[in-house]
Amino acid sequence: MSAQTPQCQLLARQDADYRGWLWVAPPRDGWLESGEGNVWSADLGVCEAWRNAGRQAYDALAAPPPQVPGAVLFWPKSHALGEWWLSALNTALPVGTPIQVVGENQGGIKRVPKILADFQQACRKLDTARRCTLFATRTDKAVRGTEAAWQTFTAGGFTLATHPGVFGHGKLDAGTQLLMNALTQSPLPAPGRRSLRALDVGCGDGVLSAWLAKQGCQVTAVDLSTFAVEATRRTLDANQLTGTVVQSDVYRQIAGTFEAIVSNPPFHQERSIDYGPTQRLIREAPTHLVEGGSLTLVANVFLPYPDWLQETFGGFEILADDRRFRVYRAIKARH
């Protein structure tokens, strides 16, 4: 199978023997998934694809095998997240293990030599093509621990845990703030229950989950990212609130029904627009709602969500609009 992504196309032309190597934070690419070695990723979709291909996958907060011939790190758009991965590799693998770092030029890969110098690691350029660059280094003694990347900040009356790569890292997103304001002014409908079962899809740092729990909801929070799942757990703990947090691709790992679904859904995958998760969030929502249950979400005004809401629910209302974001609510009809 031919490589599909630019980074993998660059790797495919190398004469290196990658058998048994560890692929770290890679994109979805059939060339990788049909090859050899193991993957270490925070993305549940990536891990599931590798497991479905009969390959070993490790999530982001679990250490990979200590002995591998080498590792390839796919540099993320967040440099702070890339630095976390470097710290994790230096911590998990023996000193001197070969590491290659690959990424798109527009994604900041050219800053990697300076970052490696800060880690006291030598670096050399191996190749450049497909508007990507490949560097080589070796693991060294960890100069910083992985826990140092976790931070807390205060917003919306909550102490929030945050980690590089988690949505809204270190600040309260303006769309989320508009959504919480709208929920305050237009409370969630309560079809027959005093304590609503609420599902927060794409929970990020957990601010919506904390807000819902503080209102007395029985909260379940889901996110595709291991980092987001851990951030939400830490946020709930920091505010002495309770909830169930699950790593899930939208509804895939969720059972049961809810009185309310709330979301600030993502529409970017790295630098590409991806409407797929939000389309599933909307179109599959009625299956996961009780009769009279509601879906409330916030989105940029230019996104095509009204059409999907109309087609799925037969109608919706706009709770708030600040010309940049809109908050929509749709109700599952009673029969």
Side-chain angles (χ1 to χ4, degrees):
M1 178 180 291
S2 299
Q4 300 159 318
T5 59
Q7 305 99 305
C8 289
Q9 289 169 358
L10 175 57
L11 290 166
R13 67 185 231 154
Q14 307 305 306
D15 59 5
D17 183 357
Y18 289 117
R19 285 178 295 182
W21 278 48
L22 184 66
W23 305 94
V24 183
R28 289 292 312 275
D29 194 298
W31 175 76
L32 279 182
E33 293 159 14
S34 63
E36 297 187 22
N38 306 318
V39 70
W40 193 15
S41 175
D43 187 313
L44 179 61
V46 170
C47 289
E48 286 190 333
W50 284 62
R51 289 168 183 147
N52 290 340
R55 312 281 298 284
Q56 183 70 57
Y58 302 90
D59 71 32
L61 302 182
Q67 298 291 339
V68 293
V72 177
L73 169 60
F74 291 78
W75 194 254
K77 69 177 182 179
S78 165
H79 291 300
L81 181 57
E83 291 177 17
W84 184 90
W85 281 115
L86 286 173
S87 296
L89 287 168
N90 284 328
T91 300
L93 301 179
V95 171
T97 302
I99 301 292
Q100 293 184 6
V101 185
V102 65
E104 296 181 273
N105 295 338
Q106 67 177 2
I109 185 66
K110 292 184 178 180
R111 287 185 56 189
V112 163
K114 182 180 184 304
I115 292 171
L116 285 169
D118 291 339
F119 277 76
Q120 303 174 18
Q121 291 175 248
C123 171
R124 63 188 177 94
K125 183 189 292 186
L126 293 179
D127 198 3
T128 180
R130 306 294 191 270
R131 299 180 180 177
C132 297
T133 304
L134 178 66
F135 294 103
T137 185
R138 290 180 180 272
T139 55
D140 204 341
K141 293 181 180 178
V143 296
R144 64 187 81 168
T146 55
E147 186 63 25
W150 286 101
Q151 301 171 0
T152 59
F153 67 103
T154 301
F158 299 101
T159 298
L160 305 177
T162 185
H163 190 282
V166 174
F167 177 72
H169 176 48
K171 64 182 185 299
L172 181 60
D173 172 70
T176 301
Q177 181 67 72
L178 185 67
L179 175 56
M180 291 193 298
N181 292 344
L183 289 170
T184 300
Q185 296 169 9
S186 302
L188 294 167
R193 286 179 62 95
R194 291 184 178 179
S195 179
L196 273 69
R197 292 167 297 186
L199 176 66
D200 177 7
V201 178
C203 54
D205 60 23
V207 62
L208 272 177
S209 294
W211 189 92
L212 290 164
K214 192 172 181 179
Q215 310 310 308
C217 295
Q218 299 176 28
V219 176
T220 299
V222 301
D223 203 290
L224 195 67
S225 165
T226 309
F227 294 121
V229 167
E230 178 63 17
T232 296
R233 286 176 179 151
R234 292 184 182 215
T235 290
L236 290 172
D237 287 345
N239 294 279
Q240 299 181 320
L241 297 168
T242 60
T244 301
V245 190
V246 180
Q247 190 175 16
S248 178
D249 183 0
V250 192
Y251 303 112
R252 195 163 293 167
Q253 281 74 30
I254 295 299
T257 55
F258 300 85
E259 280 72 42
I261 299 172
V262 297
S263 183
N264 182 354
F267 65 95
H268 280 110
Q269 180 65 31
E270 286 288 323
R271 283 169 292 279
S272 301
I273 290 179
D274 182 6
Y275 293 147
T278 304
Q279 193 167 38
R280 286 187 286 127
L281 166 71
I282 293 172
R283 296 199 183 281
E284 298 174 20
T287 303
H288 299 275
L289 287 170
V290 300
E291 291 185 1
S294 62
L295 168 65
T296 308
L297 61 88
V298 64
N300 294 76
V301 296
F302 65 85
L303 294 171
Y305 302 166
D307 291 341
W308 302 339
L309 289 165
Q310 183 68 39
E311 293 167 4
T312 302
F313 288 90
F316 63 92
E317 60 179 321
I318 298 174
L319 301 183
D321 186 338
D322 67 1
R323 298 186 180 181
R324 183 183 175 194
F325 299 101
R326 286 192 191 121
V327 178
Y328 302 96
R329 176 172 289 161
I331 307 293
K332 180 178 178 178
R334 299 177 183 271
H335 297 287

